Amino acid sequence: SKTAIDDCRGYISAEIGKKYLASAPISYSSKEGSQDAHEAIRPSDVGVKPTQLSNVDRDAERLYTIIWSQFVACQMESAKFLSTRVSINAGDYELRIRGRVVVFDGYQKVQPPMSRGEDDGILPLMKVGEVLSLEALLPNQHFTKPPARYTEASLVKELEKRGIGRPSTYAA
């Protein structure tokens, strides 16, 4: 609702900072055929932080935390990163790493990112020619793996993505 979005934007501006507030209200379109039931799931008062809840069981508190952070994050500026590839020469060896350097944390201030795996981690800011010190050496050997077999859910998702069939044909 417009009132909820205005309240959320006011909260972000006052409590988190104006630089985190998106320049205009952000609205999201829904997938064709969806019933928009997710629109009903939002905090009734954005000013009530998850840490302010009392007399609530642990599961309800964790659920409220997810809902609250997603609601606030959806009206915040995007996070900005520099994609980085680093090559380090150490004696006879060349070590390489690929990752991202955080330029602006944006919505991640209230909603930490989900893990994206080791291959795309967060790196510190480095300069060309900077001398680095070794903290740990982990000799790992990696093998390639074939793609996983389809489960019923992954098959349905793949069929939907390719526009094959109708949802009624996916029933067991």
Side-chain angles (χ1 to χ4, degrees), residues 75-136:
Q75 292 300 315
M76 294 177 72
E77 280 288 343
S78 298
K80 293 180 176 70
F81 300 93
L82 289 176
S83 183
T84 306
R85 189 170 25 203
V86 179
S87 295
I88 303 166
N89 294 318
D92 296 337
Y93 300 100
E94 180 182 24
L95 309 171
R96 294 186 198 148
I97 188 166
R98 192 177 70 197
R100 303 177 300 162
V101 176
V102 178
V103 176
F104 176 65
D105 57 351
Y107 70 89
Q108 292 182 346
K109 183 130 177 128
V110 296
Q111 188 178 39
M114 294 208 279
S115 177
R116 292 177 54 149
E118 290 179 22
D119 210 28
D120 196 24
I122 303 296
L123 299 175
L125 190 58
M126 293 181 241
K127 295 183 176 123
V128 176
E130 181 178 345
V131 177
L132 304 174
S133 60
L134 178 65
E135 288 184 9

Side-chain angles (χ1 to χ4, degrees), residues 11 45-56 61 64 68:
Y11 175 83
D45 181 3
V46 74
V48 178
K49 297 178 191 173
T51 56
Q52 296 172 327
L53 296 177
S54 60
N55 299 329
V56 179
E61 184 181 331
Y64 183 77
W68 185 89

Side-chain angles (χ1 to χ4, degrees), residues 50-70:
T51 56
Q52 296 172 327
L53 296 177
S54 60
N55 299 329
V56 179
D57 67 7
R58 179 78 177 122
D59 288 342
E61 184 181 331
R62 291 192 341 231
L63 177 62
Y64 183 77
T65 301
I66 291 169
I67 293 167
W68 185 89
S69 61
Q70 180 68 38

